[in-house]
Amino acid sequence: MTLEADFSAGGTYSLRINVDPRIFLATDPTTLPPVPASWYREQTPEQIAATHQKAQEYLSGALVVLFEGKKDVLPACEIQPIDGSDNTPLKADTLEVHLLAVAKGEVPAGATTFQIDFAHDANTSLILLHTQGGNSDLRPQVIFPGETSRAFHLKAAAPPVTASPASPQAAPSAKQSPSPASDANRLYLIVAVSITAILVIVGWQLLKHYRHHHRFHRRPKPNDVNN
């Protein structure tokens, strides 16, 4: 039997267990030949459900997971048939059938180690492999009945990403800034008014000068001489 334990960065784990049906069909699996694929294909849906139940009962009794040295029950498994030679889904030309049992769960908060406790009455050996964050441990363990695997050290789960509060957007000003066209019009108006004011002042000064000059240089009238 082979067990692949995979741990994700988000704090979840999955156990993929390759089960040879002989381990729950006989007390001594070596007394039976490899189980042919026809044995599984010819079962009725009710018989398949019973076969899966027997596999689940065997695994629940033989395997105990430990986090930080504390025992926990094996999660319920999803079971499907596979080709016993290459571990792919069951095919038309498959000769030997195995069962793939997949159990999923969450790593307890704060746990830093993982182990498998293999029951004394398990009637086979277990090959244990670990994968964490997509990286496989190159040191598979062989565990015999009654043994506990060495501790596999878990990486701390990444903290959940919290969305930062959105910065408040500045409210649009009630008073809109003038457009370039408005600025040009205002500037033209100021210049026009200034020029007009200058012309008025200059004109007024010229008019005063003309009146003063005309008053003292006009030709005397007869009445003025007589007087």
Side-chain angles (χ1 to χ4, degrees):
M1 188 165 63
T2 303
L3 190 157
E4 300 177 39
D6 179 65
F7 300 89
S8 71
T12 61
Y13 72 91
S14 66
L15 307 177
R16 295 171 57 86
I17 311 167
N18 187 324
V19 180
D20 186 329
R22 289 180 291 177
I23 63 176
F24 61 82
L25 292 177
T27 304
D28 183 0
T30 62
T31 62
L32 294 179
V35 179
S38 58
W39 169 81
Y40 188 89
R41 291 196 186 97
E42 293 172 359
Q43 294 185 27
T44 64
E46 292 76 14
Q47 291 172 329
I48 289 177
T51 296
H52 291 183
Q53 181 62 30
K54 289 179 181 179
Q56 176 68 59
E57 291 173 355
Y58 172 86
L59 294 174
S60 298
L63 299 173
V64 176
V65 296
L66 294 89
F67 288 101
E68 209 68 20
K70 297 179 180 179
K71 295 184 178 183
D72 197 1
V73 296
L74 180 74
C77 300
E78 294 184 4
I79 300 174
Q80 63 183 35
I82 59 173
D83 190 310
S85 61
D86 57 11
N87 300 332
T88 58
L90 204 63
K91 302 180 290 291
D93 58 352
T94 296
L95 298 178
E96 180 183 354
V97 66
H98 281 192
L99 299 178
L100 176 63
V102 180
K104 298 182 179 181
E106 294 186 1
V107 177
T112 59
T113 61
F114 167 80
Q115 293 171 278
I116 287 290
D117 188 40
F118 206 29
H120 286 277
D121 56 354
N123 52 4
T124 186
S125 59
L126 174 67
I127 299 176
L128 176 61
L129 305 98
H130 300 94
T131 301
Q132 187 165 205
N135 299 317
S136 299
D137 186 356
L138 300 180
R139 300 178 301 162
Q141 300 180 50
V142 178
I143 308 171
F144 296 97
E147 294 183 345
T148 300
S149 67
R150 64 174 179 265
F152 178 73
H153 294 279
L154 305 173
K155 296 179 182 178
V161 179
T162 55
S164 57
S167 57
Q169 297 181 352
S173 175
K175 183 179 180 180
Q176 298 181 349
S177 58
S179 64
S182 300
D183 289 340
N185 292 337
R186 184 176 288 105
L187 179 61
Y188 175 80
L189 181 61
I190 293 174
V191 172
V193 171
S194 299
I195 293 175
T196 302
I198 293 174
L199 291 177
V200 170
I201 293 173
V202 172
W204 177 252
Q205 293 295 332
L206 290 175
L207 180 61
K208 286 177 62 178
H209 178 73
Y210 172 78
R211 286 178 177 176
H212 177 75
H213 179 77
H214 180 73
R215 180 180 301 168
F216 289 100
H217 294 85
R218 64 180 179 174
R219 301 178 77 178
K221 295 181 180 179
N223 294 335
D224 295 335
V225 174
N226 294 332
N227 296 332

